[in-house]
Amino acid sequence: MDVATPVGIVFALVAVIVAMVLDGGNPASLIAPSAILLVIGGTVFVSLAGIRFKEVGRIVGALKSAIMAKSLTAEETVETLVKFAEMARREGVLALESAAKDLTDPFLRSGIQLIIDGVDGEKIREILEADIDAMRSRHKAGAKFFKDMAGFAPTLGILGTVMGLIHVLANLSSPNTLGPAISAAFTATLWGVMTANVIWLPISNKLSHLAEQEHMAKLLIVDGALAIQSGSSPRLLEQQLMTYLAPADRAGGESAKQGKGKAA
């Protein structure tokens, strides 16, 4: 599991608290229930107002993906496609049917099933690319939701500060309470800016990054499926699909294979 996002958010919050302590501040002053309720609660509900209620489950799923995303292993996908290409050339495409049942990736399984069903190459590309477009649209909606939250949070923080200052101005007759009241008022702005830049924007960026990763992984599968359907050489297919991997990953894959060969 890729835990970079939660780790990054936690350490960013720690950095804020440590910086506050170094400046002589008291981190306990951040615990302002009214500011937290207005900024976090208001941001969530204002953002929900911009989507349909049935999309809430999808947003929750996107949040889970950003926090505990699974690492994509393109190298394993390449190995699987090369294995299927070897099987198709050796035994025919119908031999792929039993092996396809064990595939855990539904997109890969769909592509292999289209080959088994004898679907034309152009039609396979059309079906799989339509699936990719739908996936990108879903990911884009998730990333936009959290980007919208990052836009609303500072504004709601300013709203909380204005509300606090109104309360301060209404109590000018008590000068002894002005300092704490003004401090509490600006706490809302701090929560708005902090949550926007430490929580919501990183989650939005992570979802956009995951979308690009998944897009590339699916394009790899499309090219692999079409190559198998056309009877491409397994070795040629492997060289073609390796272009999707970063040079370090390609080198790692080759080193691993050489290591296996020496061990054998």
Side-chain angles (χ1 to χ4, degrees), residues 6-49:
V7 169
I9 289 174
V10 167
F11 275 94
L13 292 172
V14 169
V16 170
I17 293 172
V18 171
M20 190 173 186
V21 171
L22 291 176
D23 280 343
N26 182 7
S29 62
L30 295 177
I31 309 303
S34 59
I36 295 172
L37 176 63
L38 176 64
V39 173
I40 296 182
T43 298
V44 170
F45 287 113
V46 168
S47 301
L48 287 176

Side-chain angles (χ1 to χ4, degrees), residues 156-181:
L156 286 166
I158 293 172
L159 177 61
T161 297
V162 171
M163 291 169 59
L165 291 177
I166 290 174
H167 177 70
V168 169
L169 294 174
N171 293 275
L172 290 177
S173 58
S174 304
N176 292 335
T177 64
L178 291 182

Side-chain angles (χ1 to χ4, degrees), residues 41-104:
T43 298
V44 170
F45 287 113
V46 168
S47 301
L48 287 176
I51 64 173
R52 292 178 296 176
F53 191 74
K54 67 179 184 179
E55 296 175 341
V56 173
R58 189 182 300 169
I59 297 301
V60 173
L63 179 60
K64 289 180 180 178
S65 296
I67 294 176
M68 296 296 285
K70 292 182 179 179
S71 299
L72 298 176
T73 53
E75 299 93 331
E76 292 181 6
T77 303
V78 171
E79 290 178 7
T80 300
L81 287 167
V82 170
K83 181 183 72 175
F84 273 76
E86 291 171 347
M87 190 183 300
R89 291 199 79 181
R90 187 173 60 249
E91 305 172 31
V93 292
L94 294 179
L96 302 179
E97 189 162 12
S98 59
K101 294 177 182 178
D102 298 328
L103 294 174
T104 57

Side-chain angles (χ1 to χ4, degrees), residues 81-82 84-86 88-89 93 96 111-112 115 121 124-125 128 219-234 236-238 240-241:
L81 287 167
V82 170
F84 273 76
E86 291 171 347
R89 291 199 79 181
V93 292
L96 302 179
I112 297 299
I115 297 172
I124 291 177
R125 181 183 293 277
L128 296 182
L219 287 179
L220 183 154
I221 291 173
V222 172
D223 280 357
L226 292 175
I228 294 172
Q229 191 268 347
S230 65
S232 177
S233 159
L236 180 61
L237 172 62
E238 183 176 23
Q240 176 186 346
L241 298 183

